[in-house]
Amino acid sequence: MPDYVHLKGINKAFPGVQALSNIDFRMEGGYVTALIGENGAGKSTLLKVLSGEIRPDSGTIDFNGKLLSFSHPQDAIKAGISVIYQERQLFPMLSVMENIFIDDIPVNRFNLISRSELKKRATKILEKFGLDIDPTEPVGRLSVAHQQMIEIMKAYRRNSKVIAFDEPTAPLMDDEIDTLFRIIEELKAEGKIVLYVSHRMAEIFRITDRLVIMKDGKIVTTRETASTTESELVSLMVGRDVGDTYKNLSRNDKIGEVVLEVNGLTTEYVRDVSFKLHKGEVLGFAGLVGAGRTEVMRAIFGDDKIISGEIKLEGKPVHFQSPREAIDAGIMLCPEDRKELGLVLPRSISDNISIPVLKKLKKGLFMDRSAEVKLAETGVAKYNIKTPTIDKRTIELSGGNQQKVILARWTSDKLHTKILILDEPTKGIDVGTKAEVYQMVCDLAKEGKGVIFISSELTEVLNLADRIIVMHDGRITGEVMREEATEEKVLALAMKE
């Protein structure tokens, strides 16, 4: 008989919201169960219950006939349950091998760390995952994608019976995704219980066997993956038919003069990058992970040192020494890693929206609280941020609503935004919220702002951008207009040496 986990009658409430309501479903070994739903549906809360990070108000976790109760995540790990979150739980200063074996470091007969044995074990796992990484390298020096793979290796190494993946492919390249799916297939063949959380429909239909669809903290239905379709699944998730997302967009058809001109930009990471951005234009940047798209934007934003080249804003040369100078000039950046670089998660929605304009909200020596409240409430209303109050901590919001907080910050009437750089703005958010973000991008362009849109989801770039810049290995390899852009053409440029 295969292993099983049965979540029975799980309920969890937070102030002002019922996060989980009578959750009841069963997962079995040898199957990959998908947990899907819009941001805010309750998926993350349920994962935290499963991992022991939070305790449910009521309900039970039945694991092979044994009722489990966790007071701490370590209790879940000891019971054979590992949850791999989007937020990496690594020690940046420690090596790859130390992170993989953090709770099982081999020691020698003198009870000292056996680095040779540690390296041997880590090398074996790295080879299984097909990663050419030095096991002694500090994790903090690795790419986001490789750090994610280290997280997965930690769970794999523990030989857990239950492994839950929370948006595991968000930072991964195609070959790394293939490696991950190969590992998941092996786990499945070994009889492991695999829970897979993702917003990417192609992945869900490729790797999962069963579906658990959530909405507003409740289970809508459960299905066999093979017996449903993408359109049916989306309709169940969002409670409505989203139709053809891109065809329904209200686009800007009045692209204006050049607002940003970059000539021969060279940094430690990119070389000889040149392009123009027009007012009212959505300029897409495509390329494989590591192509240099983010690094170009960091240089423009005053965050990376420029070795050579020129940047012109509205025809005038600029050279920002810091992001503050870029912001004051009207250039705003929504970073790829919104949790680490874009938000102060423990602080409120109001605090996060007002961060760049605190000086403008002062009345004498003190903050003008009424002005701050008005700023935040305007942003919440404009972007339909789901929250009972502007004082809610940002860490408690779903990924999609966190992204909206950043948009509200950079487009407030206290700032004179001329250019908005969006780096992977839809990463980790659901299909319904994605459609909202797409229209928000188009609306910003209709306001006359120049928008730079970076995404690893090629379909987004092809359908949203007016013009597409393609990068490979730190340089621009081509430029394509939306009318003539195809997936094959962009990919060819993205892999061009």
Side-chain angles (χ1 to χ4, degrees):
M1 182 177 178
D3 291 326
Y4 72 86
V5 171
H6 191 168
L7 300 173
K8 299 180 178 179
I10 302 291
N11 291 282
K12 181 63 183 179
F14 297 106
V17 61
Q18 183 70 36
L20 298 174
S21 181
N22 196 32
I23 299 299
D24 195 314
F25 72 96
R26 177 183 172 114
M27 302 176 288
E28 294 182 354
Y31 294 90
V32 179
T33 301
L35 183 64
I36 57 177
E38 290 187 280
N39 288 113
K43 305 185 301 298
S44 295
T45 303
L46 189 57
L47 286 180
K48 288 176 181 178
V49 168
L50 186 63
S51 72
E53 189 171 336
I54 63 175
R55 300 190 70 171
D57 298 328
S58 59
T60 59
I61 300 175
D62 177 355
F63 189 8
N64 292 334
K66 182 179 179 180
L67 299 184
L68 302 180
S69 178
F70 306 135
S71 299
H72 188 274
Q74 200 61 33
D75 295 338
I77 291 172
K78 289 178 181 178
I81 299 172
S82 289
V83 177
I84 303 165
Y85 290 108
Q86 292 183 59
E87 298 82 12
R88 293 172 296 284
Q89 299 174 322
L90 299 169
F91 297 92
M93 302 304 292
L94 296 183
S95 67
V96 168
M97 59 188 187
E98 288 167 331
N99 271 278
I100 294 175
F101 289 89
I102 192 67
D103 54 359
D104 188 27
I105 301 286
V107 296
N108 58 26
R109 59 194 180 94
F110 302 108
N111 208 34
L112 299 174
I113 294 175
S114 175
R115 297 191 66 81
S116 60
E117 179 63 21
L118 183 59
K119 184 176 181 180
K120 178 182 176 182
R121 294 182 185 181
T123 299
K124 187 175 181 180
I125 292 179
L126 287 165
E127 289 175 348
K128 185 173 185 63
F129 276 72
L131 290 183
D132 184 19
I133 299 175
D134 182 354
T136 65
E137 181 82 1
V139 159
R141 295 181 185 173
L142 300 181
S143 67
V144 172
H146 282 164
Q147 288 181 16
Q148 178 74 350
M149 294 300 279
I150 300 304
E151 282 281 18
I152 295 166
M153 289 180 206
K154 281 168 55 182
Y156 182 84
R157 187 270 307 164
R158 290 179 183 135
N159 197 30
S160 303
K161 289 186 177 181
V162 182
I163 301 180
F165 296 89
D166 185 13
E167 296 286 352
T169 63
L172 303 184
M173 297 171 64
D174 288 345
D175 58 339
E176 292 165 334
I177 292 174
D178 290 340
T179 298
L180 171 63
F181 286 174
R182 174 176 58 79
I183 295 297
I184 289 177
E185 289 290 354
E186 289 181 12
L187 294 172
K188 177 179 167 181
E190 292 169 9
K192 305 291 188 185
I193 301 168
V194 180
L195 181 62
Y196 193 88
V197 179
S198 177
H199 294 302
R200 297 183 174 183
M201 290 293 162
E203 293 179 6
I204 290 169
F205 283 94
R206 174 180 171 184
I207 197 68
T208 72
D209 303 293
R210 294 170 177 170
L211 307 169
V212 177
I213 299 104
M214 293 186 67
K215 182 174 175 59
D216 298 329
K218 302 175 182 178
I219 292 180
V220 177
T221 187
T222 58
R223 296 283 176 88
E224 296 295 311
T225 306
S227 66
T228 190
T229 63
E230 182 174 330
S231 59
E232 181 184 18
L233 200 53
V234 170
S235 181
L236 288 168
M237 286 170 57
V238 303
R240 66 186 189 278
D241 184 2
V242 297
D244 191 322
T245 301
Y246 300 108
K247 285 185 178 179
N248 292 335
L249 291 176
S250 175
R251 301 179 184 274
N252 178 41
D253 57 1
K254 296 179 181 178
I255 294 175
E257 61 191 18
V258 172
V259 65
L260 178 72
E261 184 175 350
V262 177
N263 296 310
L265 179 68
T266 298
T267 72
E268 181 183 354
Y269 309 103
V270 300
R271 59 190 186 279
D272 197 26
V273 170
S274 300
F275 67 90
K276 294 178 181 179
L277 170 69
H278 296 78
K279 292 181 179 180
E281 179 183 31
V282 179
L283 179 62
F285 268 74
L288 304 177
V289 173
R293 299 165 300 171
T294 294
E295 289 74 13
V296 169
M297 305 311 151
R298 285 171 57 90
I300 293 171
F301 195 57
D303 205 24
D304 278 0
K305 183 179 179 181
I306 296 174
I307 296 173
S308 62
E310 181 184 51
I311 299 173
K312 290 182 180 180
L313 180 62
E314 296 182 319
K316 298 177 181 179
V318 293
H319 187 81
F320 304 126
Q321 299 296 320
S322 69
R324 180 74 258 177
E325 291 184 8
I327 292 167
D328 290 342
I331 299 178
M332 315 300 164
L333 171 65
C334 298
E336 176 183 10
D337 194 334
R338 59 177 170 263
K339 294 181 183 293
E340 289 191 17
L341 302 176
L343 296 164
V344 185
L345 291 174
R347 305 292 295 187
S348 68
I349 294 171
S350 178
D351 288 345
N352 273 278
I353 290 176
S354 63
I355 280 174
V357 293
L358 290 176
K359 289 183 179 179
K360 297 180 180 181
L361 294 173
K362 288 180 69 175
K363 181 182 288 186
L365 296 175
F366 303 98
M367 289 291 295
D368 185 344
R369 178 57 181 166
S370 62
E372 186 178 17
V373 167
K374 181 180 178 182
L375 185 74
E377 289 181 341
T378 299
V380 167
K382 179 178 180 179
Y383 290 104
N384 191 28
I385 299 171
K386 295 178 182 177
T387 177
T389 169
I390 60 172
D391 295 319
K392 187 179 181 70
R393 294 195 309 157
T394 313
I395 196 171
E396 297 171 358
L397 299 177
S398 66
N401 284 305
Q402 288 177 349
Q403 189 67 54
K404 291 179 183 180
V405 169
I406 299 177
L407 288 170
R409 173 202 295 163
W410 292 133
T411 58
S412 78
D413 59 9
K414 296 292 183 182
L415 290 171
H416 301 291
T417 303
K418 300 172 184 175
I419 297 168
L420 189 63
I421 302 170
L422 304 173
D423 194 352
E424 302 285 1
T426 64
K427 184 169 72 175
I429 66 178
D430 62 80
V431 290
T433 306
K434 279 184 179 181
E436 289 184 68
V437 171
Y438 298 153
Q439 188 56 61
M440 290 172 194
V441 170
C442 292
D443 289 344
L444 290 167
K446 290 167 76 173
E447 292 172 11
K449 295 175 174 59
V451 181
I452 294 177
F453 186 90
I454 302 172
S455 176
S456 295
E457 292 193 36
L458 189 51
T459 302
E460 288 186 339
V461 181
L462 289 172
N463 286 281
L464 200 60
D466 298 300
R467 187 163 49 94
I468 301 167
I469 303 290
V470 188
M471 294 190 67
H472 172 80
D473 195 24
R475 62 187 180 86
I476 290 176
T477 53
E479 178 180 320
V480 189
M481 298 299 293
R482 184 175 72 231
E483 295 79 11
E484 61 187 38
T486 64
E487 187 170 335
E488 292 76 16
K489 185 177 291 187
V490 173
L491 280 175
L493 290 169
M495 294 184 286
K496 184 178 179 181
E497 295 293 340

